[in-house]
Amino acid sequence: MKTVSTTPFQDQKPGTSGLRKKVPVFQQQNYVENFIQSVFDSLEGFEGQTLVIGGDGRFFNREVIQIAIKMASANGFGRVLVGQGGILSTPAASNVIRKNKAFGGLILSASHNPGGPNEDFGIKYNTGNGGPAPEKVTEAIYARTKVIETYTICETPDVDLDKIGRVEVGSMDVEVIDSVADYAALMEELFDFAAIKAMIAGGFRLAFDAMHAVTGPYAKEILERRLGAAEGSVKNFVPLEDFGGHHPDPNLVHAKELYDLMMSDDAPDFGAASDGDGDRNLIIGKGIFVTPSDSLAMLAANAHLAPAYAGGLKGIARSMPTSRAADRVAEKLGIKAYETPTGWKFFGNLLDAGLVTICGEESAGTGSDHVREKDGLWAVLLWLNILAVRRESVKAIAEAHWTEYGRNFYARHDYEDVDTQAANGLVAELREKLDRLAGTSVQGMTIAAADDFSYLDPVDGSTSANQGIRILFEGGSRIVYRLSGTGTSGATLRVYIERFEPDAAKHDVPTPDALADLITAADEIAGIRAMTGRNEPSVIT
Ligand code: VG1
Ligand code: CO
């Protein structure tokens, strides 16, 4: 074991989901070590305890895992559990932490961002409940990174990550575990695999795009081997360090092939995809894309059809920019709906306190109290379980849902890699005029209220301010503006647009048409074109 002198980096502030930077930034001498030591320095009581380590298999994953193992040993952890080949999907890592009562875990991922020598990497710390560290922990980590002077590391040979079994690093045990087994077992507990299997045996076809990312081995095992989907149903299932040169982002832009298949005459009954680290999901039925916000509402309305949720839901939580479709379901079920800031870490307390069962974000994240992360394959399996019980198409279920609850037309417009100063300026100007907006009208619509979202955590009483600007119109339409906390170059402005339409006769309209006046209003209110120099968003989801 040795102690190494180091000097702090000033750019190690964890964002929405951990520290994310370009690989060459992480490759600077001591950069990884400083951050990991800062994590350990911010924690108390882990002596002799278990740490879980795993990542999404992207470029630089194995190197960082070796460093993390040696540092965990030098810092006094008693045991490390690491996924075979360094692979653990984010929800699988959350499960391993919980199941083994680990002290916490290090998850190495930059999620849906591209991978490779010049692309993105990330490190996130999760606490013993299996969820992303809450803000007070990430703030302590950041404070530590700014003053760190030394780190400690074991001088031992690398661990063979490909060989399942137990080895010693210093006086610490390292167990290389099967990446898939525990997770697959958990899914079998939650869902009616027999019913899904019978549906598939009866001719139901599905397509799952693993996008050459972490869910490949999980989806192969669960969908093909355990549930009997035809070989080839799981596509791009070999995790690659650069995701085959693509963005492992399950949206209509990056999973276009799947989308085109699902819109074709030869479409299977169900299409889905997941992201780099396996926590997001894309759901497409034959001829219909289900927005993540709608998917959350539809899953919540039908969850009781799956064994794990047969007793009903305790509550539903959604991030603030997520459409309010789920709130209507909560209302009908007579349970509480919670609105949290963006990022899964804000759901942790609600789940731990037993206040909610299902949570979701508009960014293709849905999950439940089975782990403390969003879970891509979980959402796929819940959909399949519901389809197996209802024996209707995705389209029929979606349309019936809108008829019953009304439809929340919804879109997110992302302006990526915008000049940081311009983006900050836009938000600052908006904030400055918030008080004057109420009562004025834009595009013939009257603004009922405008504010900067502040969240009071009902469990621990903490407050998180400045979480996004909300413009609320009379009649319930909404525009939300916020800056991304996961980007690695420039700033990303996200504009979330929502309109509620109760009248079923008006549901069969393309989303851009349904939102046209709000899209114009969004630019008029914030001056997006003028301030960013962009005439249109980089991505619409
Ligand atoms: C984005 C999404 C947010 C999500 C986060 C992490 O954050 O909007 O909903 O929780 O990514 O997702 P931001 O700050 O860029 O808007 V993932 O799949 O990294 O874990
Ligand atoms: Co992700």
Side-chain angles (χ1 to χ4, degrees):
M1 185 179 113
K2 66 173 176 180
T3 299
V4 181
S5 297
T6 186
T7 46
F9 294 88
Q10 298 304 326
D11 65 344
Q12 297 195 316
K13 185 176 168 62
T16 312
S17 198
L19 180 68
R20 287 196 188 157
K21 299 283 174 195
K22 295 284 178 207
V23 166
V25 175
F26 273 103
Q27 284 170 328
Q28 295 172 85
Q29 195 181 5
N30 295 344
Y31 195 88
V32 167
E33 290 85 348
N34 275 18
F35 188 73
I36 293 177
Q37 188 64 53
S38 299
V39 171
F40 294 162
D41 288 350
S42 311
L43 308 173
E44 261 171 44
F46 56 76
E47 190 78 33
Q49 302 280 315
T50 299
L51 181 72
V52 173
I53 306 179
D56 63 9
R58 68 179 59 226
F59 185 86
F60 209 43
N61 193 44
R62 284 172 180 263
E63 288 85 342
V64 174
I65 287 181
Q66 298 293 352
I67 294 171
I69 290 174
K70 291 170 196 177
M71 289 184 67
S73 171
N75 279 272
F77 277 95
R79 179 170 72 143
V80 156
L81 299 176
V82 58
Q84 188 178 21
I87 294 277
L88 280 178
S89 78
T90 292
S94 183
N95 181 45
V96 173
I97 294 171
R98 293 168 66 77
K99 198 176 159 214
N100 293 282
K101 301 201 167 26
F103 188 86
L106 287 171
I107 301 182
L108 313 177
S109 168
S111 192
H112 53 291
N113 292 0
N118 291 306
E119 300 295 351
D120 292 3
F121 193 78
I123 305 180
K124 182 170 69 160
Y125 178 71
N126 281 30
T127 48
N129 72 346
E135 271 193 330
K136 65 174 189 305
V137 177
T138 56
E139 276 160 16
I141 295 169
Y142 179 46
R144 185 70 195 152
T145 64
K146 291 193 280 192
V147 296
I148 186 166
E149 287 177 349
T150 59
Y151 65 82
T152 52
I153 187 161
C154 261
E155 296 175 283
T156 45
D158 282 358
V159 170
D160 181 353
L161 295 174
D162 296 306
K163 205 169 130 214
I164 289 190
R166 184 192 298 251
V167 292
E168 275 189 358
V169 171
S171 56
M172 183 186 81
D173 275 346
V174 176
E175 280 175 48
V176 179
I177 60 170
D178 185 300
S179 313
V180 177
D182 288 344
Y183 179 83
L186 174 63
M187 293 301 118
E188 284 217 40
E189 271 169 37
L190 300 177
F191 301 114
D192 188 345
F193 271 40
I196 302 173
K197 207 171 167 180
M199 171 176 76
I200 290 172
F204 180 97
R205 289 190 304 139
L206 63 92
F208 179 87
D209 188 350
M211 306 189 90
H212 287 302
V214 81
T215 41
Y218 296 86
K220 265 268 174 206
E221 171 64 25
I222 294 171
L223 300 176
E224 292 188 5
R225 288 189 206 109
R226 299 198 187 194
L227 292 170
E231 189 157 354
S233 302
V234 178
K235 299 171 200 312
N236 303 320
F237 59 86
V238 179
L240 298 177
E241 287 200 327
D242 66 350
F243 309 113
H246 301 290
H247 288 224
D249 191 348
N251 61 29
L252 300 185
V253 178
H254 297 294
K256 187 167 184 309
E257 234 171 80
L258 178 74
Y259 178 76
D260 290 344
L261 170 70
M262 295 309 297
M263 297 302 136
S264 73
D265 290 341
D266 188 36
D269 301 285
F270 183 78
S274 193
D275 71 333
D277 61 330
D279 58 0
R280 297 188 179 200
N281 70 87
L282 169 71
I283 303 293
I284 316 179
K286 196 184 274 190
I288 185 172
F289 158 62
V290 184
T291 69
S293 293
D294 273 347
S295 180
L296 171 66
M298 292 167 193
L299 290 179
N302 292 284
H304 61 279
L305 301 175
Y309 312 102
L313 308 179
K314 294 169 182 154
I316 304 172
R318 61 163 174 83
S319 66
M320 181 274 282
T322 303
S323 100
R324 289 176 296 183
D327 300 14
R328 294 175 200 286
V329 175
E331 200 182 347
K332 196 151 204 170
L333 293 174
I335 55 178
K336 237 182 135 177
Y338 295 84
E339 185 175 45
T340 60
T342 294
W344 210 260
K345 60 181 167 217
F346 292 102
F347 294 134
N349 278 347
L350 298 174
L351 291 163
D352 285 350
L355 295 174
V356 301
T357 308
I358 281 189
C359 312
E361 293 193 278
E362 51 64 42
S363 54
T366 2
S368 85
D369 57 2
H370 67 293
V371 288
R372 293 293 180 274
E373 288 278 6
K374 53 190 186 273
D375 188 344
L377 269 172
W378 170 90
V380 170
L381 290 166
L382 181 50
W383 262 105
L384 290 174
N385 198 144
I386 292 164
L387 292 167
V389 176
R390 286 189 56 166
R391 303 199 156 266
E392 292 166 78
S393 67
V394 173
K395 192 161 195 220
I397 290 175
E399 287 173 354
H401 185 97
W402 293 332
T403 302
E404 183 175 353
Y405 295 92
R407 179 171 180 184
N408 290 68
F409 285 98
Y410 187 85
R412 185 177 94 183
H413 289 197
D414 290 335
Y415 297 80
E416 293 175 341
D417 209 355
V418 169
D419 178 68
T420 307
Q421 251 183 319
N424 289 337
L426 182 147
V427 171
E429 274 193 25
L430 261 177
R431 276 200 186 115
E432 191 270 321
K433 67 179 178 196
L434 275 182
D435 291 346
R436 303 194 300 274
L437 284 175
T440 62
S441 73
V442 195
Q443 294 291 309
M445 299 172 293
T446 306
I447 297 178
D451 70 356
D452 194 348
F453 181 55
S454 176
Y455 177 62
L456 173 67
D457 186 312
V459 180
D460 67 15
S462 63
T463 303
S464 302
N466 304 121
Q467 296 295 325
I469 288 162
R470 306 189 287 190
I471 311 287
L472 189 65
F473 293 90
E474 278 173 7
S477 293
R478 227 174 39 142
I479 300 172
V480 173
Y481 304 85
R482 62 177 282 280
L483 297 181
S484 156
T486 58
T488 56
S489 78
T492 293
L493 170 70
R494 303 201 197 284
V495 185
Y496 311 80
I497 301 146
E498 175 181 4
R499 185 169 79 80
F500 178 62
E501 178 52 71
D503 183 355
K506 296 180 186 159
H507 288 167
D508 195 16
V509 177
T511 298
D513 298 346
L515 298 178
D517 48 357
L518 284 160
I519 292 170
T520 311
D523 185 51
E524 217 165 282
I525 293 167
I528 302 171
R529 287 176 194 223
M531 300 217 31
T532 65
R534 299 286 175 80
N535 282 327
E536 53 185 45
S538 342
V539 186
I540 298 178
T541 48

